[in-house]
Amino acid sequence: MSPINEEHPRKEIEDAIYAGDLPKLLRISGRLHGHYCSFSALGVKAGARAMKELGIRQSTGMEEVVAIVETNNCFSDGIQIVTGCSFGNNALIYRDYGKTAFTLARRNGQGLRISVRPDRVMAERSPEANELWERVVVQRRGSEEDQAKLKELWTDISFKILDVPDEDVFSIKRVNIEVPSYAHIFASVKCSVCGEDIMEPRARTKDGKPVCLPCSGQEYYQLAGDGLSILTPRAQ
Ligand SMILES: [Zn+2]
Ligand SMILES: [Zn+2]
């Protein structure tokens, strides 16, 4: 790894984008994603394409550039690492459409939307990888050997897919969108039951006192593998 650049912590990534070094970006994405797969590789590829096409040299995680992702599958991790728009810096916006697509936009609304063409992606995979994927991932009944083989094939496919022309695997179009306002800084209030601090708009009232959502027993949102859902905690 390069030494830390305090002024520009993402310099290594942004230099690789403009040098067209997608394999390097994919390797870096593995630090976040934990494995190599075709959808994280496509996220890397789409992220780099959008950054270059919009001429974004530096993404500082201060919401001057935002990424709107339409899925929370592997694709989104490629997007986060390459664009610098992350779950934690509020520059990542999640729309629960269940589509492998994303839009990168500047604060003035000028952006690029890229969606994956799944038929073309499947064609890039080998029949062996598709069959193993079905057994290991979909049915969750692959042997250890199957899992190791799948990992090997996936890594191979992920790096190969980087060389496929963008237009073969993506639909790409310029868009002008309404970018959500900057994230607000909210005051904190203390839950009168558990004593933990809560961002003010998430506080509820119980017996006339502020309480957090889990202590209130009221509905809350959860983002998990299945997307967003509304849950109700057990009464406490
Ligand atoms: Zn993955
Ligand atoms: Zn509480």
Side-chain angles (χ1 to χ4, degrees):
M1 251 201 269
S2 311
I4 291 168
N5 184 326
E6 289 165 6
E7 288 286 304
H8 188 169
R10 286 178 30 85
K11 189 168 189 323
E12 191 186 1
I13 292 173
E14 282 152 9
D15 284 350
I17 293 171
Y18 280 88
D21 194 346
L22 294 178
K24 182 175 184 177
L25 293 172
L26 181 57
R27 284 196 298 276
I28 294 173
S29 81
R31 295 180 202 157
L32 172 68
H33 195 56
H35 62 257
Y36 299 109
C37 63
S38 51
F39 277 82
S40 67
L42 288 164
V44 163
K45 195 171 165 66
R49 170 68 185 254
M51 290 284 280
K52 266 166 107 167
E53 198 153 327
L54 297 178
I56 297 163
R57 297 293 321 196
Q58 200 176 347
S59 175
T60 59
M62 299 301 287
E63 301 173 60
E64 79 287 9
V65 175
V66 296
I68 302 169
V69 294
E70 301 177 22
T71 176
N72 61 337
N73 70 20
C74 302
F75 182 74
S76 300
D77 271 355
I79 298 299
Q80 288 191 80
I81 200 103
V82 171
T83 66
C85 300
S86 77
F87 186 74
N89 68 22
N90 294 140
L92 187 79
I93 294 159
Y94 177 64
R95 289 195 183 147
D96 195 6
Y97 290 170
K99 293 184 183 184
T100 306
F102 102 109
T103 300
L104 188 71
R106 292 182 181 278
R107 194 132 279 284
N108 65 9
Q110 282 174 3
L112 194 76
R113 181 174 184 271
I114 299 181
S115 66
V116 171
R117 300 168 63 185
D119 50 326
R120 304 304 299 262
V121 176
M122 290 308 272
E124 296 296 330
R125 292 186 186 172
S126 67
E128 190 189 5
N130 283 337
E131 195 227 311
L132 274 171
W133 186 78
E134 180 71 27
R135 195 155 65 233
V136 174
V137 183
V138 180
Q139 301 169 1
R140 293 190 189 277
R141 55 178 192 83
S143 64
E144 253 175 54
E145 204 179 304
D146 286 342
Q147 288 179 28
K149 183 71 193 158
L150 182 65
K151 200 171 169 186
E152 192 187 311
L153 284 170
W154 262 4
T155 301
D156 196 43
I157 292 164
S158 307
F159 282 88
K160 277 193 185 137
I161 217 165
L162 299 175
D163 293 331
V164 176
D166 287 351
E167 278 69 15
D168 282 6
V169 280
F170 297 139
S171 300
I172 302 172
K173 74 167 189 230
R174 286 263 175 183
V175 290
N176 215 305
I177 61 160
E178 200 168 317
V179 174
S181 57
Y182 281 105
H184 296 98
I185 309 297
F186 293 110
S188 289
V189 291
K190 207 169 273 302
C191 172
S192 60
V193 177
C194 69
E196 290 186 347
D197 278 4
I198 328 144
M199 179 173 104
E200 212 234 317
R202 291 297 172 274
R204 298 292 179 264
T205 306
K206 197 174 179 180
D207 304 326
K209 291 178 189 155
V211 286
C212 71
L213 275 164
C215 291
S216 75
Q218 292 184 28
E219 288 178 338
Y220 62 94
Y221 292 104
Q222 175 173 285
L223 174 61
D226 291 343
L228 274 174
S229 54
I230 298 174
L231 299 181
T232 311
R234 281 184 303 139
Q236 313 216 344

